Amino acid sequence: MGFIIIDAHSHLWLKQDTVVEGLPIRTLENGRSLFMGEVRQMLPPFMTDGVNSAEVFLSNMDYAQVSAAVVTQEFIDGFQNDYLAEVAARYPDRFFVCGMCEFRKPGYLDQARQLIARGFQGIKIPAQRLLLQEGRVRLNGEEMMQMFHLMEQNGVLLSIDMADGDTQVGELEEVIQECPKLKVAIGHFGMVTRPQWKEQIKLARHPHVRIESGGITWLFNDEFYPFKGAVRAIREAAELVGFEKLMWGSDYPRTITAITYRMSYDFVSKSAELTEREKALFLGENARSFYGFHNLSELPYIKNMSE
């Protein structure tokens, strides 16, 4: 293909065993999980033990010619800090991992200090989960702002998924203004299929803010491959902030229950609506510079038996 490909939004876990909004999430078998009251196909059915490991992901990455990946976190998967620290130490040239704090109750500033001391280069906030019944946790609250200043001082990146539309845009705008050197990666392409999604995209007009497309194939799932609406949305976002601010992400492994890992990006690489330069920026070059990946190797294409 001639592109360096980097996945800016993925997930790893050894086991799901947590509670979100009072409802359990548990690993079952054959790739299924009990998810907040119903059984869902969380992983492809051949991942029978429910382990979403770095080694299986690397096999997928090598096959799909993806050189490196950013591993984020989400409350629905439970806290994976210990495992991800091991992954980063084992595969430093393949993975950029994000730690996660318990942001749903006070005391996370100390947790952030500990993550930074352990060497985590990024911290993930699933901010869409912070609109709690008992009271909203605001991104511009006192403890949050202290944490963001700490991250800015230590060069630690913020990876954040936001609630639909402009619900939290004003809060994050205040954070960006207060901490102008803090690197921020906004996930799920601004929840692109929801009303007012472009308000999140516009935050990338700030110098150190980027948008990544993790989950875009999930959001356009009703349309399905080759996701022409997603390609149009990528171009619309580029018209607002420029292609230099946009990065591809897969939301692996959740999205590969419906499509293959390669399909999660080749709807972009095969599109006639984007130039080769735009594809190169979106699929890897922007992420390489933003996350500071080095020592990347180009992976060979391996023919399928069906070819």
Side-chain angles (χ1 to χ4, degrees):
M1 268 185 309
F3 302 132
I4 288 290
I5 303 177
I6 296 174
D7 189 342
H9 189 125
S10 66
H11 299 272
L12 295 174
W13 63 78
L14 294 179
K15 184 179 182 181
Q16 289 180 315
D17 185 8
T18 190
V19 175
V20 174
E21 298 174 12
L23 297 170
I25 300 169
R26 302 277 187 274
T27 292
L28 300 175
E29 59 183 2
N30 299 331
R32 298 170 184 170
S33 291
L34 175 64
F35 182 75
M36 302 177 78
E38 62 178 327
V39 175
R40 299 290 291 271
Q41 194 71 44
M42 188 68 65
L43 301 170
F46 52 78
M47 295 170 72
T48 55
D49 60 1
V51 176
N52 173 32
S53 70
E55 288 71 25
V56 171
F57 189 23
L58 283 169
S59 181
N60 272 285
M61 289 167 63
D62 289 350
Y63 170 72
Q65 299 174 276
V66 175
S67 295
V70 179
V71 184
T72 71
Q73 296 197 54
E74 228 274 31
F75 292 141
I76 64 173
D77 302 325
F79 291 86
Q80 304 296 327
N81 294 326
D82 290 343
Y83 179 52
L84 294 188
E86 293 177 12
V87 169
R90 202 177 307 149
Y91 307 107
D93 294 332
R94 301 300 299 272
F95 293 116
F96 178 109
V97 304
C98 296
M100 186 172 69
C101 308
E102 178 49 277
F103 296 108
R104 294 165 294 187
K105 55 186 179 181
Y108 49 82
L109 178 59
D110 285 339
Q111 297 172 35
R113 287 196 182 100
Q114 294 170 22
L115 291 174
I116 293 170
R118 293 177 67 181
F120 279 91
Q121 298 171 284
I123 291 178
K124 173 62 179 286
I125 301 181
Q128 77 277 28
R129 306 281 180 194
L130 300 183
L131 308 181
L132 306 174
Q133 288 185 349
E134 61 269 28
R136 176 170 167 174
V137 179
R138 295 191 175 273
L139 299 175
N140 55 355
E142 182 178 355
E143 188 172 13
M144 278 285 190
M145 294 303 288
Q146 290 177 327
M147 185 185 73
F148 293 137
H149 280 293
L150 177 69
M151 291 169 64
E152 183 184 36
Q153 292 162 10
N154 286 274
V156 174
L157 179 146
L158 170 63
S159 172
I160 185 167
D161 299 335
M162 299 172 68
D164 292 359
D166 63 353
T167 305
Q168 295 167 312
V169 166
E171 296 174 21
L172 188 56
E173 177 84 43
E174 185 174 329
V175 171
I176 295 165
Q177 296 281 2
E178 183 76 15
C179 303
K181 294 183 180 178
L182 176 67
K183 284 187 172 183
V184 181
I186 298 172
H188 295 162
F189 218 68
M191 293 303 291
V192 57
T193 55
R194 309 294 196 259
Q196 296 182 301
W197 66 278
K198 291 181 182 178
E199 297 308 305
Q200 294 188 34
I201 304 298
K202 290 175 185 177
L203 289 171
R205 291 172 174 171
H206 292 280
H208 297 293
V209 181
R210 302 290 185 273
I211 306 295
E212 46 94 341
S213 72
I216 198 169
T217 59
W218 150 60
L219 289 161
F220 283 93
N221 184 64
D222 289 345
E223 176 186 285
F224 207 64
Y225 192 87
F227 304 109
K228 292 183 178 179
V231 174
R232 287 193 296 270
I234 291 168
R235 180 157 293 289
E236 287 182 54
E239 290 171 357
L240 290 173
V241 299
F243 262 97
E244 294 77 10
K245 295 298 188 78
L246 308 178
M247 306 180 295
W248 169 68
S250 70
D251 211 2
Y252 176 98
R254 294 183 242 282
T255 50
I256 65 165
T257 57
I259 58 176
T260 68
Y261 187 45
R262 183 182 291 274
M263 289 167 69
S264 68
Y265 75 77
D266 75 358
F267 75 93
V268 172
S269 64
K270 293 178 179 178
S271 174
E273 303 302 314
L274 305 174
T275 68
E276 295 302 291
R277 179 58 180 161
E278 290 167 346
K279 294 173 185 178
L281 290 172
F282 182 75
L283 292 174
E285 292 299 335
N286 293 337
R288 174 158 61 174
S289 60
F290 190 64
Y291 293 99
F293 282 107
H294 302 288
N295 304 318
L296 295 177
S297 57
E298 292 191 30
L299 300 167
Y301 177 74
I302 306 298
K303 291 180 68 175
N304 294 320
M305 281 298 294
S306 58
E307 292 181 81

